[in-house]
Amino acid sequence: MDDLKNKYLTAILQAGDEATLEDIRLQAVGKKGEVALKMRELGKMTPEERQVMGPKLNALKDEINSALAAKKVALEDAALDARLAEEWLDVTLPGRGRPQGTIHPISRVSEEIYAIFADLGFAVAEGPQIEDDWHNFDALNIAPHHPARQEHDTFYMHRAEGDERAPNVLRTHTSPVQIRTMLDQGAPIRIIAPGRVYRSDYDQTHTPMFHQVEGMAIDKDISMANLKWVLEEFYTAFFGTKVKTRFRASHFPFTEPSAEVDVQCKWENGTVTVGEGDDWLEVLGSGMMHPNVLKSGGIDPKEWQGFAFGMGIDRLAMLKYGIPDLRAFFDSDLRWLRHYGFSALGTPTLAGGIHG
């Protein structure tokens, strides 16, 4: 018994790898190992011999298993030490950089617009992009024969066969939000209505879907002078320089009087700079809200009056950041977004403020 013990303990001690150790385990305590064979011989012994040999064989088996387990741990530790000696990591090296996403110029400009108008006391209102005919046209004093209601300018939704109601439309402006807000909140009121709008048009400065922001302020003593001040404050804050505006008489069904608004600019080498020079660039339409529009919103035009304006967010982004083609906003080329995109850390907040 002692010879068997010394044989296997010595072999275990001298094992150089786990494969050799496994062979020793099978030879010693496997199902066909020497210790297992001796355990089977217990059946041929007398009870007195079994009482002597049984405990000895169990003790031998336990001792060999313990030696095997200890040697396995030692071999694993040695393998790890060898690997650590060969492979090492310099923890003082800088980490591997990961490419960061950027904020789309439309999102950036939208946030700038929200922040500036918030400082001017305007809340943000939203509405559905699929509108009914009344909110999109009738409530805004747009006549049935107006060109804007034709299919060459507006996307109409299909009605089921037999449904005689006027078809819904993809909203052509965010003006319906003004009607909905007036009906919900009444006067006085001061809001901007940003969002996607849709028109059947496509070229370098027009796309079938674009982003618009409209503004509205209603009170008892509001005038065109208030409108001019708000717009000049906005453009000065947005472009970061004093911006002069010029109002030109125009016509819109939903305002009376109506005006198209130009900003002072300079053209040089095919680029435009806002806030300086002797040229002018049209940027939006505006005016005093038509009495019929106020009535549609449930507001008495004999007691209240207000101004409204609307401008394209996409075009503002083009002007401020020198983007030459409106269609590029919808390009899937990531190189474009890496060039024109903005770091998330640079997103404007309401804390930025403007100063008049």
Side-chain angles (χ1 to χ4, degrees), residues 39 92 99 107 139 143 147 175 237 284 294 318 327 336:
M39 296 281 283
T92 65
S107 300
S175 301
L284 62 83
L294 292 173
M318 292 173 69
R327 294 168 293 189
W336 183 90

Side-chain angles (χ1 to χ4, degrees), residues 28-30 35-36 39 55-68:
V29 294
V35 176
M39 296 281 283
K56 288 184 178 181
L57 288 171
N58 285 328
L60 175 61
K61 183 179 179 180
D62 291 343
E63 190 170 357
I64 291 174
N65 281 329
S66 296
L68 288 167

